[in-house]
Amino acid sequence: LTEPRGYLLDDKVRLKLRAVTFNNLGCFYKRRGKLHAALQYLDKALKIELASEEVDNPAGTHLNLCATLSQLGRHGPALEHAQCALELLKQSVARKTRSGQRGAIEEASILAIAYHNLAVEQEHLGQWEDALNSYAESVSMAERQWGA
């Protein structure tokens, strides 16, 4: 389906679906404990998402990469992906809030998760003060979105 000669003639739709498929396969392999296979699929998803404007969830892919890399003990790169996800989510929430688009609340909720992932990686790297600040921001964001 997602091959250039397949059933989907619209390249944007085809690439979007391919990125979602690779992301899903990455999550599948992560859940099965096959972290290196998961990493390969998540990297493929991210490459497509970085090359296309018509993607759904690049922040989610960054968070999935963060979690997978963390499980592999690669906390430096995991931290970078958490930071990328956080920046993408902040930009998206701001853009959707300004334009009145739906989805800002859902993405703001995911910000709490992104701050938590960031804090976990900062803690692994011994960045104690930053980790405390990120945990506090995660709690604050969660309370704003889901209530105390």
Side-chain angles (χ1 to χ4, degrees):
L1 278 176
T2 62
E3 292 295 321
R5 303 172 308 284
Y7 294 102
L8 299 171
L9 300 178
D10 184 341
D11 279 347
K12 290 178 183 179
V13 171
R14 184 178 55 77
L15 287 174
K16 181 178 173 178
L17 291 175
R18 181 174 272 196
V20 169
T21 301
F22 285 151
N23 197 334
N24 288 340
L25 284 167
C27 292
F28 169 78
Y29 282 112
K30 179 181 171 289
R31 193 174 199 107
R32 302 275 313 209
K34 298 183 182 291
L35 301 178
H36 293 286
L39 202 55
Q40 288 179 341
Y41 281 108
L42 292 169
D43 279 335
K44 287 180 180 185
L46 188 60
K47 283 179 183 157
I48 292 170
E49 290 171 344
L50 292 175
S52 173
E53 294 177 17
E54 299 293 324
V55 294
D56 281 339
N57 193 20
T61 302
H62 278 291
L63 289 174
N64 290 334
L65 278 161
C66 171
T68 304
L69 287 164
S70 186
Q71 282 188 288
L72 287 166
R74 295 172 55 190
H75 301 292
L79 177 69
E80 291 175 20
H81 283 289
Q83 290 168 329
C84 287
L86 197 56
E87 191 57 38
L88 287 170
L89 287 165
K90 285 179 182 178
Q91 290 172 6
S92 181
V93 168
R95 184 176 55 254
K96 287 180 178 181
T97 300
R98 276 193 313 272
S99 66
Q101 282 182 303
R102 292 182 17 222
I105 293 172
E106 291 83 2
E107 288 190 4
S109 296
I110 298 170
L111 271 170
I113 297 165
Y115 273 113
H116 175 81
N117 286 15
L118 181 68
V120 168
E121 297 315 314
Q122 290 166 329
E123 190 175 354
H124 278 294
L125 294 169
Q127 300 171 2
W128 311 116
E129 195 68 32
D130 290 337
L132 283 172
N133 291 333
S134 296
Y135 279 127
E137 191 60 40
S138 176
V139 169
S140 174
M141 186 67 63
E143 287 176 345
R144 281 196 302 267
Q145 295 305 313
W146 303 317

